[in-house]
Amino acid sequence: MSPFNKKFKKSAHIQLVLITAILASCHKPTPHPQRRVFMRSDTTAPYNGVRSYYGDNNGNYSSDNEYYSGNNGYHHHSHLWYYAFRPYGHYYNGSYRRAGYYSGGLSEHANTGSNGFKGSITRGGFGSHGFSVSS
Amino acid sequence: MQRISIAPRNNWQAAVEKLGFGFHTTDIPYWDESAYYSFTLSEINRIESATQELWDMCLGAVQYVMDNNLYHRFAIPEWAIPYIEKTWQDDHPAIYGRFDFCYKNGHLKLLEFNADTPTSLYEAGIVQWFWLQDFDKSKDQFNSVHEKLIDGWKMLAPYLRRGKLHFSCLKQTLEDLTNTEYLRDCAMQAGLDTKLVFIDDLGWDNSSKTFVDFENESIKNIFKLYPWEWLLRDDFGKNILTDANQAFWIEPAWKMILSNKALLPILWEMYPNHPNLLPAWFDSHGMNRFVKKPILSREGANIEMVDNGQLLQSSDGGYGQEGYVFQELFELPAYDGKYPVIGSWVIAQQAAGMGIREADSLITDNKSRFVPHMIDG
């Protein structure tokens, strides 16, 4: 082992708590798929009919195979089992449009879109610029 | 610094996906382990010390711009100046930044500083480290990104407002979400109470004059992977000034001075002939060989490289309306037709590691690839 080994890296062990938890949740069966709403509700999407974004009750899934949750609640597309952050979207005029990404790190309440009366709160005042901040 | 061609791991896609790295390939490969860059320890030491010194110089530049009222050079709106100065005087905390260097013929030159919304953090801190564990565990890497992020959040915690630290980015982009969730992961390991809310979903409560998340929870502290110049232009921008919580925004508003390429001529004016700086001005200043860069631009857009009056290379884009800077041309070195840029991270005020992005041309654009590195010699 050369003398500089581990000079810059203090430990060979790296732990990822959040991302590991998200990945682990991707393997778990969902007991009530019809009641689980995967999509983060947002200002552009309706709160109901969310299931149609991911697959219908017959286990059909989107044409580009981006995501699938079938009848039994397992994520069948094994390629995506390792994805911590999953795309969601919907069909519009016969074509699929990606609406964004979500992760298991989002809270249940945020995912379900259970907010009713928003009162004096307005949304959508940020985020109008750009598609990614990549630099 | 050498470029070594190697065979990628057979299962490299699955290996990186297991880390939660989902954007390794778009329409073109982004993560590229068909090669790595090899550095000697003395080269790494040099990059590390330059990063540390430049960070200190940058802090001096913030004060210099404020003292000399040079905001017009940065196209910063006047109404935002008192707030920027308040975040500086009140020492609003910052967590990270990335210096982009050209390393050629023994010279290490700063090309720009991504001080507000740097990306490729997850690739640099996690993905390339696990690549090294598979490739050659006995070797080291200039990489303490992960540890320094956790330590950094711990150090920063006492400065935050009481309450959660929200993390935010655009919802349309997997790359931004991965970077943001990685930062949140480290903050959680530092003991902070965190929550994710997309920037698109942030709300403004007009009765309490506060920002709220999607569950109407008041925002006290927020990390945003979203540039300040966009925040200010957005409809909610001016609400930041009237926010009753006076929430901490991370990165703080004073980073607007460092994330702007107008910083480059300011640094040259303050530290002329510094070995890690290239001559830079707000006009071509009689230079025969220069790069013209918009003060606000991303991913190598709207760049012009000029050599003796001839346009050597240029890129398209929608930037430039705020103005340009002119930096002496110092071309990236070519390795088998690939042009690497070194991205050196400063985290919690310390040099923390690096990542290398490689392009097929002198301009590093959004088609560049991330290539891992190791210390070997």
Side-chain angles (χ1 to χ4, degrees):
Chain A
M1 185 174 282
S2 51
F4 54 79
N5 263 333
K6 309 309 171 204
K7 178 179 189 292
F8 292 104
K9 200 71 190 176
K10 296 188 190 92
S11 165
H13 178 69
I14 287 180
Q15 188 184 12
L16 292 166
V17 295
L18 172 64
I19 291 172
T20 304
I22 294 169
L23 287 165
S25 72
C26 296
H27 296 269
K28 289 180 184 171
T30 311
H32 303 293
Q34 71 280 8
R35 293 168 62 184
R36 180 172 178 184
V37 182
F38 295 93
M39 190 188 75
R40 176 180 182 73
S41 60
D42 62 33
T43 51
T44 63
Y47 292 147
N48 54 9
V50 171
R51 282 187 53 73
S52 65
Y53 295 179
Y54 302 99
D56 60 27
N57 288 328
N58 297 319
N60 296 322
Y61 55 93
S62 57
S63 59
D64 60 0
N65 287 353
E66 285 195 313
Y67 186 82
Y68 168 56
S69 177
N71 254 351
N72 59 11
Y74 289 89
H75 306 302
H76 286 277
H77 201 296
S78 60
H79 178 65
L80 290 174
W81 280 15
Y82 294 119
Y83 276 52
F85 310 111
R86 292 162 185 264
Y88 67 84
H90 58 93
Y91 283 100
Y92 183 75
N93 278 346
S95 63
Y96 183 78
R97 289 185 175 183
R98 182 179 294 164
Y101 292 89
Y102 78 99
S103 84
L106 293 170
S107 69
E108 275 297 309
H109 292 132
N111 277 324
T112 57
S114 57
N115 292 296
F117 179 62
K118 299 293 195 298
S120 60
I121 293 170
T122 53
R123 297 186 191 277
F126 284 135
S128 62
H129 291 270
F131 177 75
S132 168
V133 306
S134 184
S135 57
Chain B
M1 179 180 176
Q2 295 179 70
R3 186 181 194 275
I4 315 286
S5 294
I6 51 169
R9 291 169 290 180
N10 287 333
N11 60 343
W12 72 266
Q13 290 94 341
V16 299
E17 283 163 17
K18 280 178 185 171
L19 299 170
F21 183 46
F23 56 99
H24 54 75
T25 307
T26 51
D27 50 336
I28 52 168
Y30 169 60
W31 169 261
D32 183 358
E33 57 177 65
S34 66
Y36 69 88
Y37 281 89
S38 170
F39 290 81
T40 64
L41 182 59
S42 82
E43 288 172 327
I44 292 294
N45 285 339
R46 194 163 173 192
I47 295 166
E48 183 186 37
S49 62
T51 301
Q52 197 65 54
E53 185 178 359
L54 282 167
W55 171 246
D56 292 339
M57 290 159 59
C58 284
L59 294 178
V62 174
Q63 190 65 56
Y64 182 83
V65 169
M66 291 180 178
D67 290 347
N68 293 282
N69 196 22
L70 299 173
Y71 295 100
H72 62 286
R73 292 293 197 185
F74 293 74
I76 290 173
E78 275 194 34
W79 60 265
I81 294 171
Y83 176 71
I84 292 170
E85 296 193 344
K86 180 172 170 43
T87 64
W88 176 249
Q89 282 148 12
D90 292 353
D91 206 14
H92 284 212
I95 188 75
Y96 72 161
R98 193 193 73 222
F99 292 100
D100 282 352
F101 289 121
C102 173
Y103 198 7
K104 186 175 67 174
N105 301 331
H107 298 286
L108 184 70
K109 300 291 187 183
L110 175 67
L111 300 177
E112 62 182 64
F113 185 26
N114 294 284
D116 186 20
T117 57
T119 52
S120 74
L121 184 66
Y122 195 62
E123 301 90 293
I126 297 294
V127 184
Q128 70 168 345
W129 175 249
F130 280 98
W131 165 83
L132 184 63
Q133 303 316 295
D134 284 346
F135 185 75
D136 189 347
K137 249 183 199 174
S138 70
K139 294 295 192 297
D140 201 7
Q141 201 170 68
F142 180 26
N143 188 353
S144 57
V145 166
H146 191 74
E147 295 90 326
K148 286 203 168 66
L149 278 175
I150 295 172
D151 290 348
W153 287 122
K154 282 180 186 167
M155 282 191 289
L156 196 141
Y159 294 92
L160 298 178
R161 307 258 183 247
R162 193 169 178 174
K164 285 190 173 69
L165 171 58
H166 282 79
F167 282 76
S168 195
C169 66
L170 283 165
K171 71 171 66 169
Q172 286 276 349
T173 157
L174 180 60
E175 179 180 357
D176 295 5
L177 178 60
T178 305
N179 275 272
T180 303
E181 287 289 65
Y182 175 49
L183 280 152
R184 187 160 79 99
D185 195 311
C186 293
M188 288 167 68
Q189 294 188 56
L192 296 178
D193 185 11
T194 70
K195 190 173 176 185
L196 180 69
V197 57
F198 289 114
I199 196 94
D200 327 46
D201 288 338
L202 269 185
W204 173 254
D205 187 335
N206 205 38
S207 58
S208 65
K209 304 292 181 198
T210 58
F211 289 104
V212 295
D213 66 16
F214 209 81
E215 296 161 300
N216 300 342
E217 185 171 353
S218 190
I219 304 275
K220 303 289 182 56
N221 312 283
I222 182 164
F223 169 89
K224 49 85 201 162
L225 190 62
Y226 190 75
W228 268 104
E229 65 267 21
W230 294 358
L231 280 175
L232 295 187
R233 284 182 212 152
D234 279 345
D235 292 345
F236 282 171
K238 288 187 175 170
N239 296 356
I240 295 171
L241 278 60
T242 57
D243 174 16
N245 284 337
Q246 296 185 54
F248 276 128
W249 290 75
I250 302 170
E251 297 295 303
W254 57 262
K255 277 289 195 81
M256 267 189 271
I257 293 170
L258 299 182
S259 61
N260 187 308
K261 292 182 188 70
L263 172 72
L264 299 170
I266 298 294
L267 283 174
W268 186 250
E269 183 178 320
M270 292 177 68
Y271 310 99
N273 302 310
H274 187 282
N276 299 124
L277 295 178
L278 290 165
W281 315 89
F282 288 102
D283 55 40
S284 60
H285 217 75
M287 290 187 289
N288 286 324
R289 289 165 47 79
F290 60 83
V291 183
K292 183 182 175 187
K293 303 178 177 182
I295 61 171
L296 295 173
S297 66
R298 318 188 81 77
E299 294 189 315
N302 298 100
I303 301 285
E304 288 182 13
M305 291 184 170
V306 175
D307 186 2
N308 281 320
Q310 301 295 314
L311 189 62
L312 196 63
Q313 216 166 94
S314 64
S315 59
D316 296 331
Y319 299 96
Q321 58 269 38
E322 293 87 0
Y324 291 86
V325 295
F326 298 75
Q327 188 182 44
E328 187 178 276
L329 178 61
F330 189 73
E331 296 103 324
L332 293 171
Y335 292 82
D336 303 325
K338 322 286 186 198
Y339 299 88
V341 167
I342 293 171
S344 185
W345 289 93
V346 57
I347 295 175
Q349 322 249 9
Q350 297 177 78
M354 71 180 190
I356 296 169
R357 283 168 306 136
E358 205 180 61
D360 294 326
S361 72
L362 289 169
I363 298 173
T364 307
D365 59 12
N366 60 4
K367 295 183 179 67
S368 63
R369 301 164 297 277
F370 193 100
V371 181
H373 79 275
M374 72 162 70
I375 306 170
D376 188 16

PDB file of all heavy atoms in Angstrom, chain A residues 29-36 38 51 54-61 68-76:
ATOM      1  N   PRO A  29     -43.346  -5.158  -1.786  1.00  0.00           N
ATOM      2  CA  PRO A  29     -44.651  -5.247  -2.418  1.00  0.00           C
ATOM      3  C   PRO A  29     -45.584  -4.196  -1.848  1.00  0.00           C
ATOM      4  O   PRO A  29     -45.423  -3.765  -0.705  1.00  0.00           O
ATOM      5  CB  PRO A  29     -45.132  -6.656  -2.043  1.00  0.00           C
ATOM      6  CG  PRO A  29     -44.381  -7.002  -0.808  1.00  0.00           C
ATOM      7  CD  PRO A  29     -43.065  -6.303  -0.905  1.00  0.00           C
ATOM      8  N   THR A  30     -46.525  -3.780  -2.640  1.00  0.00           N
ATOM      9  CA  THR A  30     -47.491  -2.798  -2.175  1.00  0.00           C
ATOM     10  C   THR A  30     -48.806  -3.507  -1.904  1.00  0.00           C
ATOM     11  O   THR A  30     -49.401  -4.059  -2.822  1.00  0.00           O
ATOM     12  CB  THR A  30     -47.700  -1.727  -3.251  1.00  0.00           C
ATOM     13  OG1 THR A  30     -46.418  -1.281  -3.679  1.00  0.00           O
ATOM     14  CG2 THR A  30     -48.487  -0.564  -2.711  1.00  0.00           C
ATOM     15  N   PRO A  31     -49.273  -3.540  -0.675  1.00  0.00           N
ATOM     16  CA  PRO A  31     -50.446  -4.337  -0.346  1.00  0.00           C
ATOM     17  C   PRO A  31     -51.728  -3.838  -0.995  1.00  0.00           C
ATOM     18  O   PRO A  31     -52.596  -4.608  -1.317  1.00  0.00           O
ATOM     19  CB  PRO A  31     -50.530  -4.235   1.185  1.00  0.00           C
ATOM     20  CG  PRO A  31     -49.705  -3.054   1.545  1.00  0.00           C
ATOM     21  CD  PRO A  31     -48.677  -2.905   0.493  1.00  0.00           C
ATOM     22  N   HIS A  32     -51.850  -2.545  -1.169  1.00  0.00           N
ATOM     23  CA  HIS A  32     -53.085  -2.008  -1.732  1.00  0.00           C
ATOM     24  C   HIS A  32     -52.753  -1.066  -2.884  1.00  0.00           C
ATOM     25  O   HIS A  32     -52.827   0.148  -2.751  1.00  0.00           O
ATOM     26  CB  HIS A  32     -53.878  -1.244  -0.666  1.00  0.00           C
ATOM     27  CG  HIS A  32     -54.203  -2.091   0.525  1.00  0.00           C
ATOM     28  ND1 HIS A  32     -55.065  -3.147   0.453  1.00  0.00           N
ATOM     29  CD2 HIS A  32     -53.738  -2.048   1.791  1.00  0.00           C
ATOM     30  CE1 HIS A  32     -55.150  -3.721   1.651  1.00  0.00           C
ATOM     31  NE2 HIS A  32     -54.342  -3.069   2.477  1.00  0.00           N
ATOM     32  N   PRO A  33     -52.397  -1.653  -3.997  1.00  0.00           N
ATOM     33  CA  PRO A  33     -51.943  -0.797  -5.093  1.00  0.00           C
ATOM     34  C   PRO A  33     -52.990   0.192  -5.560  1.00  0.00           C
ATOM     35  O   PRO A  33     -52.675   1.272  -6.008  1.00  0.00           O
ATOM     36  CB  PRO A  33     -51.605  -1.795  -6.201  1.00  0.00           C
ATOM     37  CG  PRO A  33     -52.373  -3.038  -5.864  1.00  0.00           C
ATOM     38  CD  PRO A  33     -52.440  -3.073  -4.370  1.00  0.00           C
ATOM     39  N   GLN A  34     -54.240  -0.216  -5.428  1.00  0.00           N
ATOM     40  CA  GLN A  34     -55.271   0.691  -5.933  1.00  0.00           C
ATOM     41  C   GLN A  34     -55.386   1.941  -5.074  1.00  0.00           C
ATOM     42  O   GLN A  34     -55.967   2.930  -5.477  1.00  0.00           O
ATOM     43  CB  GLN A  34     -56.628  -0.025  -6.020  1.00  0.00           C
ATOM     44  CG  GLN A  34     -57.296  -0.333  -4.693  1.00  0.00           C
ATOM     45  CD  GLN A  34     -56.726  -1.563  -4.007  1.00  0.00           C
ATOM     46  OE1 GLN A  34     -55.728  -2.120  -4.438  1.00  0.00           O
ATOM     47  NE2 GLN A  34     -57.367  -1.982  -2.935  1.00  0.00           N
ATOM     48  N   ARG A  35     -54.823   1.870  -3.854  1.00  0.00           N
ATOM     49  CA  ARG A  35     -54.928   3.039  -2.980  1.00  0.00           C
ATOM     50  C   ARG A  35     -53.617   3.794  -2.876  1.00  0.00           C
ATOM     51  O   ARG A  35     -53.549   4.853  -2.287  1.00  0.00           O
ATOM     52  CB  ARG A  35     -55.387   2.595  -1.595  1.00  0.00           C
ATOM     53  CG  ARG A  35     -56.808   2.068  -1.621  1.00  0.00           C
ATOM     54  CD  ARG A  35     -57.169   1.364  -0.354  1.00  0.00           C
ATOM     55  NE  ARG A  35     -57.112   2.249   0.798  1.00  0.00           N
ATOM     56  CZ  ARG A  35     -57.329   1.806   2.036  1.00  0.00           C
ATOM     57  NH1 ARG A  35     -57.583   0.528   2.263  1.00  0.00           N
ATOM     58  NH2 ARG A  35     -57.268   2.631   3.039  1.00  0.00           N
ATOM     59  N   ARG A  36     -52.577   3.201  -3.426  1.00  0.00           N
ATOM     60  CA  ARG A  36     -51.299   3.885  -3.343  1.00  0.00           C
ATOM     61  C   ARG A  36     -51.154   4.846  -4.514  1.00  0.00           C
ATOM     62  O   ARG A  36     -51.389   4.478  -5.651  1.00  0.00           O
ATOM     63  CB  ARG A  36     -50.155   2.871  -3.395  1.00  0.00           C
ATOM     64  CG  ARG A  36     -48.802   3.546  -3.302  1.00  0.00           C
ATOM     65  CD  ARG A  36     -47.702   2.532  -3.170  1.00  0.00           C
ATOM     66  NE  ARG A  36     -46.417   3.210  -3.139  1.00  0.00           N
ATOM     67  CZ  ARG A  36     -45.263   2.576  -3.102  1.00  0.00           C
ATOM     68  NH1 ARG A  36     -45.236   1.267  -3.079  1.00  0.00           N
ATOM     69  NH2 ARG A  36     -44.148   3.241  -3.086  1.00  0.00           N
ATOM     70  N   PHE A  38     -48.603   7.072  -6.412  1.00  0.00           N
ATOM     71  CA  PHE A  38     -47.164   7.258  -6.530  1.00  0.00           C
ATOM     72  C   PHE A  38     -46.781   8.676  -6.906  1.00  0.00           C
ATOM     73  O   PHE A  38     -45.699   9.121  -6.642  1.00  0.00           O
ATOM     74  CB  PHE A  38     -46.603   6.322  -7.607  1.00  0.00           C
ATOM     75  CG  PHE A  38     -46.750   4.885  -7.246  1.00  0.00           C
ATOM     76  CD1 PHE A  38     -47.859   4.176  -7.667  1.00  0.00           C
ATOM     77  CD2 PHE A  38     -45.796   4.251  -6.480  1.00  0.00           C
ATOM     78  CE1 PHE A  38     -47.994   2.851  -7.342  1.00  0.00           C
ATOM     79  CE2 PHE A  38     -45.928   2.930  -6.147  1.00  0.00           C
ATOM     80  CZ  PHE A  38     -47.025   2.214  -6.582  1.00  0.00           C
ATOM     81  N   ARG A  51     -53.825   6.690 -11.085  1.00  0.00           N
ATOM     82  CA  ARG A  51     -53.387   5.357 -11.495  1.00  0.00           C
ATOM     83  C   ARG A  51     -53.190   5.258 -13.003  1.00  0.00           C
ATOM     84  O   ARG A  51     -52.344   4.522 -13.467  1.00  0.00           O
ATOM     85  CB  ARG A  51     -54.394   4.303 -11.032  1.00  0.00           C
ATOM     86  CG  ARG A  51     -54.274   3.965  -9.563  1.00  0.00           C
ATOM     87  CD  ARG A  51     -55.177   2.808  -9.212  1.00  0.00           C
ATOM     88  NE  ARG A  51     -54.956   1.673 -10.092  1.00  0.00           N
ATOM     89  CZ  ARG A  51     -53.901   0.885 -10.064  1.00  0.00           C
ATOM     90  NH1 ARG A  51     -52.934   1.129  -9.216  1.00  0.00           N
ATOM     91  NH2 ARG A  51     -53.791  -0.124 -10.886  1.00  0.00           N
ATOM     92  N   TYR A  54     -49.766   5.390 -14.490  1.00  0.00           N
ATOM     93  CA  TYR A  54     -48.765   4.346 -14.264  1.00  0.00           C
ATOM     94  C   TYR A  54     -49.153   2.998 -14.818  1.00  0.00           C
ATOM     95  O   TYR A  54     -48.329   2.143 -15.027  1.00  0.00           O
ATOM     96  CB  TYR A  54     -48.506   4.200 -12.757  1.00  0.00           C
ATOM     97  CG  TYR A  54     -48.048   5.485 -12.179  1.00  0.00           C
ATOM     98  CD1 TYR A  54     -48.917   6.319 -11.509  1.00  0.00           C
ATOM     99  CD2 TYR A  54     -46.743   5.903 -12.384  1.00  0.00           C
ATOM    100  CE1 TYR A  54     -48.499   7.521 -11.024  1.00  0.00           C
ATOM    101  CE2 TYR A  54     -46.317   7.109 -11.897  1.00  0.00           C
ATOM    102  CZ  TYR A  54     -47.200   7.921 -11.216  1.00  0.00           C
ATOM    103  OH  TYR A  54     -46.782   9.113 -10.743  1.00  0.00           O
ATOM    104  N   GLY A  55     -50.397   2.789 -14.995  1.00  0.00           N
ATOM    105  CA  GLY A  55     -50.837   1.491 -15.459  1.00  0.00           C
ATOM    106  C   GLY A  55     -52.254   1.271 -14.985  1.00  0.00           C
ATOM    107  O   GLY A  55     -52.631   1.681 -13.899  1.00  0.00           O
ATOM    108  N   ASP A  56     -53.037   0.615 -15.793  1.00  0.00           N
ATOM    109  CA  ASP A  56     -54.414   0.437 -15.391  1.00  0.00           C
ATOM    110  C   ASP A  56     -54.561  -0.827 -14.553  1.00  0.00           C
ATOM    111  O   ASP A  56     -53.589  -1.527 -14.261  1.00  0.00           O
ATOM    112  CB  ASP A  56     -55.327   0.408 -16.618  1.00  0.00           C
ATOM    113  CG  ASP A  56     -54.960  -0.723 -17.554  1.00  0.00           C
ATOM    114  OD1 ASP A  56     -54.414  -1.748 -17.077  1.00  0.00           O
ATOM    115  OD2 ASP A  56     -55.198  -0.572 -18.755  1.00  0.00           O
ATOM    116  N   ASN A  57     -55.787  -1.140 -14.185  1.00  0.00           N
ATOM    117  CA  ASN A  57     -56.012  -2.281 -13.309  1.00  0.00           C
ATOM    118  C   ASN A  57     -55.717  -3.613 -13.981  1.00  0.00           C
ATOM    119  O   ASN A  57     -55.650  -4.645 -13.335  1.00  0.00           O
ATOM    120  CB  ASN A  57     -57.455  -2.266 -12.810  1.00  0.00           C
ATOM    121  CG  ASN A  57     -57.651  -1.160 -11.798  1.00  0.00           C
ATOM    122  OD1 ASN A  57     -56.715  -0.826 -11.067  1.00  0.00           O
ATOM    123  ND2 ASN A  57     -58.828  -0.574 -11.769  1.00  0.00           N
ATOM    124  N   ASN A  58     -55.557  -3.592 -15.272  1.00  0.00           N
ATOM    125  CA  ASN A  58     -55.229  -4.826 -15.972  1.00  0.00           C
ATOM    126  C   ASN A  58     -53.728  -5.013 -16.132  1.00  0.00           C
ATOM    127  O   ASN A  58     -53.284  -5.948 -16.800  1.00  0.00           O
ATOM    128  CB  ASN A  58     -55.882  -4.817 -17.358  1.00  0.00           C
ATOM    129  CG  ASN A  58     -57.395  -4.781 -17.246  1.00  0.00           C
ATOM    130  OD1 ASN A  58     -57.960  -5.469 -16.392  1.00  0.00           O
ATOM    131  ND2 ASN A  58     -58.037  -3.955 -18.059  1.00  0.00           N
ATOM    132  N   GLY A  59     -53.004  -4.162 -15.531  1.00  0.00           N
ATOM    133  CA  GLY A  59     -51.557  -4.328 -15.564  1.00  0.00           C
ATOM    134  C   GLY A  59     -50.901  -3.755 -16.801  1.00  0.00           C
ATOM    135  O   GLY A  59     -49.745  -4.038 -17.089  1.00  0.00           O
ATOM    136  N   ASN A  60     -51.637  -2.989 -17.545  1.00  0.00           N
ATOM    137  CA  ASN A  60     -51.003  -2.360 -18.706  1.00  0.00           C
ATOM    138  C   ASN A  60     -50.078  -1.247 -18.232  1.00  0.00           C
ATOM    139  O   ASN A  60     -50.285  -0.670 -17.173  1.00  0.00           O
ATOM    140  CB  ASN A  60     -52.059  -1.770 -19.634  1.00  0.00           C
ATOM    141  CG  ASN A  60     -52.936  -2.855 -20.209  1.00  0.00           C
ATOM    142  OD1 ASN A  60     -52.446  -3.936 -20.525  1.00  0.00           O
ATOM    143  ND2 ASN A  60     -54.229  -2.579 -20.285  1.00  0.00           N
ATOM    144  N   TYR A  61     -49.105  -0.968 -19.025  1.00  0.00           N
ATOM    145  CA  TYR A  61     -48.188   0.088 -18.622  1.00  0.00           C
ATOM    146  C   TYR A  61     -47.830   0.962 -19.804  1.00  0.00           C
ATOM    147  O   TYR A  61     -48.153   0.643 -20.949  1.00  0.00           O
ATOM    148  CB  TYR A  61     -46.937  -0.485 -17.956  1.00  0.00           C
ATOM    149  CG  TYR A  61     -46.193  -1.505 -18.774  1.00  0.00           C
ATOM    150  CD1 TYR A  61     -45.156  -1.112 -19.593  1.00  0.00           C
ATOM    151  CD2 TYR A  61     -46.535  -2.851 -18.704  1.00  0.00           C
ATOM    152  CE1 TYR A  61     -44.461  -2.042 -20.330  1.00  0.00           C
ATOM    153  CE2 TYR A  61     -45.846  -3.782 -19.444  1.00  0.00           C
ATOM    154  CZ  TYR A  61     -44.813  -3.383 -20.261  1.00  0.00           C
ATOM    155  OH  TYR A  61     -44.137  -4.295 -20.988  1.00  0.00           O
ATOM    156  N   TYR A  68     -43.969   0.943 -14.203  1.00  0.00           N
ATOM    157  CA  TYR A  68     -45.104   0.053 -14.231  1.00  0.00           C
ATOM    158  C   TYR A  68     -45.425  -0.406 -12.830  1.00  0.00           C
ATOM    159  O   TYR A  68     -44.558  -0.811 -12.071  1.00  0.00           O
ATOM    160  CB  TYR A  68     -44.769  -1.145 -15.126  1.00  0.00           C
ATOM    161  CG  TYR A  68     -45.759  -2.275 -14.995  1.00  0.00           C
ATOM    162  CD1 TYR A  68     -47.107  -2.048 -15.212  1.00  0.00           C
ATOM    163  CD2 TYR A  68     -45.331  -3.540 -14.661  1.00  0.00           C
ATOM    164  CE1 TYR A  68     -48.010  -3.077 -15.101  1.00  0.00           C
ATOM    165  CE2 TYR A  68     -46.229  -4.572 -14.551  1.00  0.00           C
ATOM    166  CZ  TYR A  68     -47.567  -4.344 -14.772  1.00  0.00           C
ATOM    167  OH  TYR A  68     -48.449  -5.347 -14.655  1.00  0.00           O
ATOM    168  N   SER A  69     -46.659  -0.336 -12.483  1.00  0.00           N
ATOM    169  CA  SER A  69     -47.117  -0.939 -11.252  1.00  0.00           C
ATOM    170  C   SER A  69     -48.387  -1.696 -11.579  1.00  0.00           C
ATOM    171  O   SER A  69     -49.396  -1.106 -11.932  1.00  0.00           O
ATOM    172  CB  SER A  69     -47.408   0.141 -10.207  1.00  0.00           C
ATOM    173  OG  SER A  69     -47.925  -0.456  -9.052  1.00  0.00           O
ATOM    174  N   GLY A  70     -48.317  -2.995 -11.514  1.00  0.00           N
ATOM    175  CA  GLY A  70     -49.439  -3.804 -11.961  1.00  0.00           C
ATOM    176  C   GLY A  70     -50.380  -4.171 -10.834  1.00  0.00           C
ATOM    177  O   GLY A  70     -50.335  -3.614  -9.745  1.00  0.00           O
ATOM    178  N   ASN A  71     -51.199  -5.163 -11.111  1.00  0.00           N
ATOM    179  CA  ASN A  71     -52.249  -5.556 -10.188  1.00  0.00           C
ATOM    180  C   ASN A  71     -51.744  -5.949  -8.810  1.00  0.00           C
ATOM    181  O   ASN A  71     -52.318  -5.619  -7.800  1.00  0.00           O
ATOM    182  CB  ASN A  71     -52.993  -6.753 -10.779  1.00  0.00           C
ATOM    183  CG  ASN A  71     -54.349  -6.333 -11.284  1.00  0.00           C
ATOM    184  OD1 ASN A  71     -54.770  -5.210 -11.030  1.00  0.00           O
ATOM    185  ND2 ASN A  71     -55.012  -7.206 -11.996  1.00  0.00           N
ATOM    186  N   ASN A  72     -50.674  -6.720  -8.778  1.00  0.00           N
ATOM    187  CA  ASN A  72     -50.229  -7.241  -7.492  1.00  0.00           C
ATOM    188  C   ASN A  72     -49.352  -6.251  -6.742  1.00  0.00           C
ATOM    189  O   ASN A  72     -48.878  -6.534  -5.654  1.00  0.00           O
ATOM    190  CB  ASN A  72     -49.483  -8.562  -7.682  1.00  0.00           C
ATOM    191  CG  ASN A  72     -48.279  -8.386  -8.571  1.00  0.00           C
ATOM    192  OD1 ASN A  72     -47.894  -7.270  -8.866  1.00  0.00           O
ATOM    193  ND2 ASN A  72     -47.697  -9.489  -8.996  1.00  0.00           N
ATOM    194  N   GLY A  73     -49.110  -5.157  -7.332  1.00  0.00           N
ATOM    195  CA  GLY A  73     -48.417  -4.113  -6.601  1.00  0.00           C
ATOM    196  C   GLY A  73     -46.902  -4.174  -6.688  1.00  0.00           C
ATOM    197  O   GLY A  73     -46.229  -3.295  -6.206  1.00  0.00           O
ATOM    198  N   TYR A  74     -46.362  -5.193  -7.295  1.00  0.00           N
ATOM    199  CA  TYR A  74     -44.912  -5.224  -7.444  1.00  0.00           C
ATOM    200  C   TYR A  74     -44.513  -4.395  -8.651  1.00  0.00           C
ATOM    201  O   TYR A  74     -45.282  -4.250  -9.602  1.00  0.00           O
ATOM    202  CB  TYR A  74     -44.425  -6.664  -7.664  1.00  0.00           C
ATOM    203  CG  TYR A  74     -44.520  -7.514  -6.439  1.00  0.00           C
ATOM    204  CD1 TYR A  74     -45.674  -8.229  -6.151  1.00  0.00           C
ATOM    205  CD2 TYR A  74     -43.452  -7.592  -5.553  1.00  0.00           C
ATOM    206  CE1 TYR A  74     -45.763  -9.009  -5.015  1.00  0.00           C
ATOM    207  CE2 TYR A  74     -43.530  -8.384  -4.416  1.00  0.00           C
ATOM    208  CZ  TYR A  74     -44.700  -9.093  -4.151  1.00  0.00           C
ATOM    209  OH  TYR A  74     -44.777  -9.852  -3.048  1.00  0.00           O
ATOM    210  N   HIS A  75     -43.313  -3.910  -8.613  1.00  0.00           N
ATOM    211  CA  HIS A  75     -42.801  -3.190  -9.770  1.00  0.00           C
ATOM    212  C   HIS A  75     -42.155  -4.227 -10.672  1.00  0.00           C
ATOM    213  O   HIS A  75     -41.090  -4.736 -10.383  1.00  0.00           O
ATOM    214  CB  HIS A  75     -41.786  -2.134  -9.346  1.00  0.00           C
ATOM    215  CG  HIS A  75     -42.327  -1.208  -8.312  1.00  0.00           C
ATOM    216  ND1 HIS A  75     -43.449  -0.457  -8.531  1.00  0.00           N
ATOM    217  CD2 HIS A  75     -41.927  -0.958  -7.045  1.00  0.00           C
ATOM    218  CE1 HIS A  75     -43.711   0.252  -7.443  1.00  0.00           C
ATOM    219  NE2 HIS A  75     -42.811  -0.050  -6.540  1.00  0.00           N
ATOM    220  N   HIS A  76     -42.819  -4.530 -11.758  1.00  0.00           N
ATOM    221  CA  HIS A  76     -42.394  -5.653 -12.567  1.00  0.00           C
ATOM    222  C   HIS A  76     -41.183  -5.365 -13.433  1.00  0.00           C
ATOM    223  O   HIS A  76     -40.501  -6.267 -13.855  1.00  0.00           O
ATOM    224  CB  HIS A  76     -43.547  -6.084 -13.480  1.00  0.00           C
ATOM    225  CG  HIS A  76     -44.608  -6.808 -12.719  1.00  0.00           C
ATOM    226  ND1 HIS A  76     -44.516  -8.137 -12.440  1.00  0.00           N
ATOM    227  CD2 HIS A  76     -45.753  -6.369 -12.170  1.00  0.00           C
ATOM    228  CE1 HIS A  76     -45.593  -8.502 -11.759  1.00  0.00           C
ATOM    229  NE2 HIS A  76     -46.347  -7.448 -11.574  1.00  0.00           N
TER     230      HIS A  76
END
